[in-house]
Amino acid sequence: MSANTKQAPLWTKSFFMLIFANWFVFMGFQMLIPTFPPYIQSLGASSLEIGLVTTLFSVGAVFARPFIGYLLSFNKRRPMVLLGVATLLVLTILYPVTQIIFIFLLFRLVHGLAWGWTSTSNGTAAVDLVPNSRIGEGMGYYGLSVTLSLAIAPSLGIYVYQQFNFNWVIVISTLLCVTSFILMSRVRFQTPEAIKQTERKDVHFSYFGSLIEKRSWYPALITLLTTFAYGSIVTYIVIFAQERGLEHIFLFYLFNATFASVSRPFSGKWFDRHGPKAMVSVCAIFAFAALWVLSFATSDIYIIIAGILFGIGYGSMLPSLQAWILSKTTTERRGVANGMYFSCIDGGIGLSAIVFGFISTFVSYGALFQIASFCFVAVSLLTVLAKSDNKQGQKPNHTKKVAANE
């Protein structure tokens, strides 16, 4: 690898705008998630129907991604990204008119399809803007937009819903999506030359082949385990706080976001220099410790420590796993690999809600976090046992990336 390649610029104007645009669209999406259950409950939904709010969305997202990966193998990035964001915007605006539970649940399924489209297209467009020699660092910064939205948006959505109403949540989410669309329209996307020279008739579609990138299956499995453990927090941390009488559970999200942000530049560079094994295995240990500290929380200091540990661990691990998955595939299969990565996230969290929901009937929520923590032990062990890669995995990804501005 030449010195010029190592010094390839990362912070282009387009990459900067893409990160912020992605942050806005994720914020708009994530702030809706915790408000949907109480909203549909107010419409008279049963416990089963409330559960379907998450399940149908996950089904839609996972189902859509193989098709999106296939389309990304021969389509330019700009129309794919803009169509996805525009669809999310329209769906968000229409949510308040869904006063019938069946229609609302149908919207959740369609929303999942649209989210599968958007998250896969955005991530693929991002990796196309990142120099191959800096993929770990670049995707780390891109992943930061996701991490920060996960840390901030749910609390914001809950606050707006409690202080005002569901319609105001929709208004703010809509404004965030509009901002994202405007920024995305200003990005000078780059489509790899190999993609531009590929026509639809040249690509054979196989649903299974577009669902799974065989070269990247091992880090994808680790991603599934990682998000399965994280699902216990997403689903039960607020209920856990009520059980323990913890009034400032938002501190977990605040310190998680802060330390994920601080550690991200260092973790991305570490990945590029040393590969994924040490990075992911060490981060898994931090996340394991975070869940145990959280499980014993009786005051704010426990919450803060847990947030710091989880921010360093999970906050650095997830983008490293994405970079690992992408580095093991070829340019033509990046859309499929990226779709598989996000499907593992949605699938892990969705499956976690079902499994831990069953377990929670037998144990306390603190014990639930302790049980979930052993997923991170498995993550660390599987990472250590992984076959050694040559720095970033696949030789094709070290070749010079030829792309044209759209």
Side-chain angles (χ1 to χ4, degrees):
M1 193 178 292
S2 66
N4 289 336
T5 302
K6 290 182 179 179
Q7 298 302 318
L10 174 63
W11 287 107
T12 61
K13 181 180 178 181
S14 288
F15 184 59
F16 185 82
M17 285 195 297
L18 179 63
I19 286 178
F20 270 93
N22 193 65
W23 182 63
F24 281 119
V25 76
F26 265 79
M27 281 285 293
F29 165 71
Q30 292 291 341
M31 70 178 295
L32 293 173
I33 291 178
T35 66
F36 281 142
Y39 173 71
I40 193 174
Q41 186 180 47
S42 70
L43 299 178
S46 65
S47 298
L48 174 61
E49 289 167 334
I50 292 173
L52 286 174
V53 170
T54 300
T55 302
L56 288 175
F57 175 85
S58 297
V59 168
V62 173
F63 177 78
R65 288 202 173 97
F67 295 104
I68 310 309
Y70 166 70
L71 292 173
L72 286 167
S73 66
F74 57 85
N75 276 301
K76 291 183 178 180
R77 303 319 187 206
R78 176 181 294 276
M80 294 289 290
V81 170
L82 294 182
L83 180 59
V85 176
T87 304
L88 287 179
L89 174 60
V90 172
L91 287 170
T92 301
I93 293 173
L94 292 177
Y95 263 117
V97 304
T98 56
Q99 298 295 312
I100 300 174
I101 294 173
F102 173 77
I103 301 298
F104 182 89
L105 293 176
L106 182 62
F107 260 61
R108 287 301 288 157
L109 179 63
V110 177
H111 200 171
L113 294 170
W115 183 249
W117 180 297
T118 300
S119 55
T120 305
S121 298
N122 290 5
T124 305
V127 77
D128 288 335
L129 289 172
V130 173
N132 285 321
S133 61
R134 303 181 70 177
I135 189 171
E137 182 182 5
M139 295 312 291
Y141 283 118
Y142 174 80
L144 186 58
S145 64
V146 179
T147 303
L148 289 176
S149 69
L150 288 169
I152 298 171
S155 297
L156 176 62
I158 292 170
Y159 176 81
V160 174
Y161 182 82
Q162 291 177 336
Q163 298 299 318
F164 302 96
N165 54 43
F166 182 73
N167 288 338
W168 272 105
V169 177
I170 294 297
V171 169
I172 296 175
S173 179
T174 299
L175 291 174
L176 290 168
C177 287
V178 169
T179 304
S180 174
F181 186 85
I182 293 172
L183 288 175
M184 285 294 191
S185 67
R186 303 288 295 173
V187 173
R188 297 183 66 186
F189 294 95
Q190 291 185 353
T191 301
E193 197 62 34
I195 303 297
K196 297 183 75 173
Q197 293 176 0
T198 302
E199 298 181 7
R200 181 176 180 176
K201 61 183 178 61
D202 299 325
V203 183
H204 171 70
F205 177 72
S206 163
Y207 187 84
F208 182 79
S210 298
L211 179 66
I212 297 176
E213 170 49 53
K214 294 180 180 179
R215 299 178 184 88
S216 305
W217 75 269
Y218 197 82
L221 173 63
I222 294 174
T223 303
L224 184 69
L225 269 174
T226 300
T227 54
F228 183 85
Y230 175 65
S232 66
I233 294 178
V234 172
T235 307
Y236 297 108
I237 191 169
V238 175
I239 301 174
F240 168 76
Q242 293 173 345
E243 181 184 76
R244 293 286 179 90
L246 301 169
E247 298 180 356
H248 303 130
I249 197 63
F250 72 90
L251 290 172
F252 177 87
Y253 292 105
L254 176 62
F255 282 88
N256 173 30
T258 301
F259 279 81
S261 304
V262 171
S263 63
R264 189 59 55 82
F266 304 102
S267 62
K269 291 179 180 179
W270 178 275
F271 178 95
D272 288 330
R273 291 173 183 169
H274 305 288
K277 295 185 71 170
M279 183 78 249
V280 174
S281 58
V282 171
C283 286
I285 294 173
F286 275 96
F288 170 82
L291 281 177
W292 276 84
V293 172
L294 183 62
S295 72
F296 289 113
T298 55
S299 64
D300 290 349
I301 188 63
Y302 286 88
I303 299 172
I304 292 172
I305 294 173
I308 292 172
L309 292 172
F310 204 75
I312 295 172
Y314 185 83
S316 298
M317 183 164 38
L318 211 57
S320 296
L321 287 167
Q322 183 180 20
W324 190 4
I325 288 171
L326 290 170
S327 69
K328 291 181 71 64
T329 189
T330 61
T331 300
E332 295 80 4
R333 297 281 293 177
R334 278 176 173 173
V336 174
N338 213 37
M340 182 174 66
Y341 164 76
F342 283 107
S343 292
C344 287
I345 293 177
D346 289 327
I349 293 175
L351 184 61
S352 173
I354 297 173
V355 174
F356 287 123
F358 173 76
I359 296 175
S360 67
T361 61
F362 302 100
V363 301
S364 67
Y365 293 111
L368 196 71
F369 293 148
Q370 294 172 2
I371 294 171
S373 71
F374 286 98
C375 291
F376 290 120
V377 175
V379 165
S380 185
L381 291 175
L382 286 173
T383 302
V384 170
L385 294 173
K387 292 181 180 179
S388 296
D389 294 327
N390 54 356
K391 198 165 184 179
Q392 288 188 27
Q394 291 294 318
K395 189 175 181 180
N397 269 8
H398 289 306
T399 59
K400 184 177 179 181
K401 177 165 47 180
V402 181
N405 291 330
E406 297 176 29

